[in-house]
Every structure is written in structure tokens, then in C-alpha cells.
Amino acid sequence: MDQSTPSPQNANAESEPPTALPPEQLIAIWDRTIQTQMHFNEMSAKSRQLGLTFASAALGLAIVLLARENDFVIPLGETIVLHIAVLITAGTAFAIYGVKRLDLNVYHRMLRGAVTFGEDLERTHLAPPLRQQKGLTQAVSHYSRLDDAGVVKSGPIYHYTGTKATKAESKIAAFYWFLIFSLSLVTLALFFSTSGVLAVL
């Protein structure tokens, strides 16, 4: 049987209305869902803080070592030297790339899974009884994904607006690439100002 074709049992399950759960059980599930989202979001935030710490520490150390230029050079030949600050900034750029991979490919994907579950739970069980257009997870996702997100109040109900979609993953990737690009520029500037070509001249 083709795995892409849903079985009659699954098709019937999808067409059936959701089972009514006791409010206490719904609240417990929703609370655990929010906690899971907060956990993965915290892990992602720590990864970005780690990236900023790497960048700041590398730049600070490079400045300190540049003050004692002749003491921290690696000879590559009779007339060519390489300052250790170049290796530090270059190595930090690679380290931040590794943090980026960990953040986007592990923590952020697990966060997306928890958010998707929360959105489904709120859409199916929580928002309709409360007569709201969106639940908490759905509202947060709305403002996260749309650059022009907003609300329009119509009576007691808020209607969410916005069309300019930008994925959170793209924003996070742009943050990491900015750090990597900046460190790469610093690495090149240090190389040509303290090592390599100018050292020969």
C-alpha cells in the first residue's frame, strides 16, 4: 500500500469532530505546551547569546594582542608573518557558524514543532469556546511572522491583520550571517594591516 495514501481508519479519524476534553485537562495540556515552547525558545536565545559572546570576546582579545604586535606573530617564512589576532577572529567566525547550525537545525526546529502543536491545540479546543480569533501561541506567531502585524477591534472581538510575511528562521539566519560577515571583514582587515602582504613590504 502506498504510504502517502491515508488509510480508511485515518480518514475517518480526521473527519470526526475533536473529542471534548475536560477544561482542567485542556488547561494542563496547554500549560505544558507553553512551557515546552519557552524551554526551546530559551535554548535558542542562549545560542544567540553565545554567538554574541564569542564575537565580543574575539574582538576584545584581538585588540589586546594588537597592542603587543611583535609578541604575537607567527612566522610563515623569512619575511612573512601572521598575527595571532587574525586566527582568533577567523576561528570565531567558524565557531559562530557552528552555533548557527545548532540553533537553526536543532533548537529552532523543535521550537517550531512545539509552536505548531500549540497553534493546533488553540485553534481546535481553546479559541472557539473563548470566542477569540486566535489563542496565545497563534497571536505570538502572528506578530513574529508578519512585519506589518496588527489588530482591528470589531466590537468585543479582535481581528488580526498583516500580509508582509517573514519567517522567524530567516531573521535568525540574518543575525548569524551578520556576525559572520562582520568577523570576516575584521579578519581581512587585520590580515592586511598586520600580517601577510604588508609584512613583506
Side-chain angles (χ1 to χ4, degrees):
M1 179 181 292
D2 186 1
Q3 296 180 353
S4 62
T5 303
S7 63
Q9 183 179 359
N10 292 335
N12 292 334
E14 293 177 358
S15 62
E16 293 177 357
T19 303
L21 297 175
E24 297 80 5
Q25 189 173 354
L26 279 175
I27 293 175
I29 296 173
W30 180 80
D31 180 64
R32 180 53 62 92
T33 302
I34 295 298
Q35 291 182 24
T36 303
Q37 294 174 16
M38 293 174 60
H39 171 71
F40 289 133
N41 188 63
E42 182 180 356
M43 297 300 293
S44 296
K46 288 182 177 179
S47 296
R48 291 155 213 165
Q49 291 175 355
L50 182 62
L52 284 174
T53 301
F54 277 163
S56 301
L59 293 176
L61 182 58
I63 292 173
V64 171
L65 297 181
L66 285 173
R68 303 175 60 182
E69 180 177 352
N70 295 331
D71 296 333
F72 295 96
V73 293
I74 301 175
L76 300 179
E78 295 182 359
T79 58
I80 302 177
V81 295
L82 179 66
H83 198 280
I84 194 67
V86 177
L87 298 179
I88 292 174
T89 54
T92 304
F94 281 105
I96 292 178
Y97 177 76
V99 174
K100 169 184 173 294
R101 298 270 301 179
L102 177 65
D103 186 1
L104 292 181
N105 293 348
V106 180
Y107 299 138
H108 184 69
R109 293 188 67 84
M110 290 189 289
L111 174 61
R112 287 175 59 186
V115 167
T116 301
F117 177 83
E119 290 177 336
D120 193 20
L121 177 68
E122 293 174 356
R123 176 185 58 81
T124 306
H125 295 284
L126 299 179
L130 296 176
R131 296 182 180 180
Q132 291 184 300
Q133 187 182 10
K134 295 181 183 294
L136 175 61
T137 303
Q138 293 173 297
V140 172
S141 297
H142 177 80
Y143 275 88
S144 175
R145 296 167 182 167
L146 299 177
D147 294 335
D148 59 343
V151 293
V152 176
K153 188 175 181 181
S154 177
I157 300 176
Y158 285 91
H159 296 280
Y160 292 78
T161 62
T163 57
K164 298 180 180 178
T166 303
K167 292 183 178 180
E169 183 176 358
S170 300
K171 298 177 183 179
I172 299 171
F175 163 78
Y176 282 111
W177 284 123
F178 173 77
L179 287 181
I180 294 172
F181 179 73
S182 299
L183 284 170
S184 299
L185 287 181
V186 171
T187 300
L188 290 175
L190 289 175
F191 175 77
F192 285 109
S193 62
T194 64
S195 311
V197 175
L198 292 183
V200 177
L201 298 178

